[in-house]
Amino acid sequence: MRRNPVYVFFSNLIYYGIALPVLWAADVLFFGLRIRGREHMRAVRGGAVLVCNHVHNMDCTFLGLAAAPRHLIFVSLALNFRIPVAGALIWLLGAVPVPQGMREMGSFLEQMTETARRRVVVIYPEGAILPYAPALRPFKSGAFYIAASAGVPVIPAVISGRKGKGFWAWRRKPAFTLTLGEALYPDSEMGSVSRQAGELRKRARAVMEKMLTGDGTEEAGE
């Protein structure tokens, strides 16, 4: 985590003073973004791990708007920092690159575990992006291992496409809906952290599949 006070000052200035207002206008007006289930984010006090499908270069901004005024910490593949515009955005918004070597992975997981005890850490369990993917892909275990190790909940979220109407009908690609679900807590009765993480991954995936197909999203609210 970057703790340089100058970086923190300018990061917060850009995030709250510029990024959030601009991104709200861009995401709502251009992508037709709708956000459901904000109350589930507000219900979580303290740290958590937020997991979401990865379907657009700008979906980190969708999550940032859903969590506002909380400032999320994003875990991102190193190559994402080289994406034009989006790469600069995730760096300014406080993204942390996943180390490419296995030697650094242990210390990285410890760092993210400590961070998750205080902040909401965003991890895409699918790993790489697949634009407009209609279904969930296989989940990696890192997000759930961090949540179980930190003893914090997982907040499931899904981004789904819908046919644009009215102002957004001119777009040939779908408009987006982001849905947040209720927090899922590790089950300490499962024993080891690895077993807790595995069980948490299964629960999160089942919930996210239901949310993605529209089953149960009515309860999430706007």
Side-chain angles (χ1 to χ4, degrees):
M1 290 295 298
R2 295 181 286 259
R3 298 183 183 275
N4 184 295
V6 175
Y7 170 84
V8 171
F9 172 79
F10 282 103
S11 177
N12 286 334
L13 178 64
I14 293 170
Y15 186 75
Y16 293 108
I18 300 175
L20 283 182
V22 171
L23 292 176
W24 180 88
D27 289 347
V28 172
L29 294 178
F30 187 76
F31 295 114
L33 179 65
R34 294 178 183 171
I35 300 174
R36 296 175 172 171
R38 276 194 180 99
E39 68 274 13
H40 300 311
M41 172 69 74
R42 299 187 187 116
V44 175
R45 305 295 181 184
V49 176
L50 192 158
V51 296
C52 186
N53 55 332
H54 200 6
V55 296
H56 197 276
N57 285 336
M58 297 295 286
D59 56 21
C60 61
T61 68
F62 302 169
L63 297 170
L65 290 176
R70 299 183 75 166
H71 196 160
L72 302 175
I73 302 296
F74 290 87
V75 172
S76 179
L77 296 176
L79 59 86
N80 290 338
F81 288 79
R82 298 193 290 269
I83 299 173
V85 182
L89 278 173
I90 62 175
W91 185 82
L92 287 170
L93 297 181
V96 179
V98 177
Q100 295 179 306
M102 291 303 297
R103 182 175 298 179
E104 299 87 2
M105 187 59 69
S107 60
F108 174 79
L109 290 174
E110 290 179 4
Q111 179 188 22
M112 288 298 99
T113 297
E114 179 59 31
T115 301
R117 292 190 175 107
R118 301 175 287 106
R119 304 283 295 274
V120 177
V121 176
V122 178
I123 301 177
Y124 297 103
E126 296 170 321
I129 186 174
L130 182 60
Y132 300 95
L136 296 180
R137 290 167 284 148
F139 281 5
K140 300 181 185 299
S141 61
F144 310 98
Y145 183 88
I146 290 171
S149 297
V152 298
V154 164
I155 303 173
V158 295
I159 298 170
S160 56
R162 68 180 195 280
K163 185 176 181 180
K165 297 180 180 179
F167 178 80
W168 295 280
W170 61 273
R171 294 191 76 234
R172 295 183 179 181
K173 294 181 179 179
F176 288 108
T177 299
L178 167 63
T179 304
L180 299 165
E182 293 184 13
L184 305 172
Y185 289 81
D187 185 358
S188 59
E189 295 184 359
M190 294 296 298
S192 69
V193 169
S194 295
R195 293 185 64 183
Q196 291 182 51
E199 192 270 342
L200 194 55
R201 179 172 63 173
K202 291 180 181 179
R203 277 195 288 148
R205 185 178 181 89
V207 168
M208 291 168 68
E209 285 178 338
K210 289 183 179 180
M211 292 163 60
L212 193 59
T213 58
D215 184 6
T217 57
E218 293 81 7
E219 293 88 345
E222 292 287 345

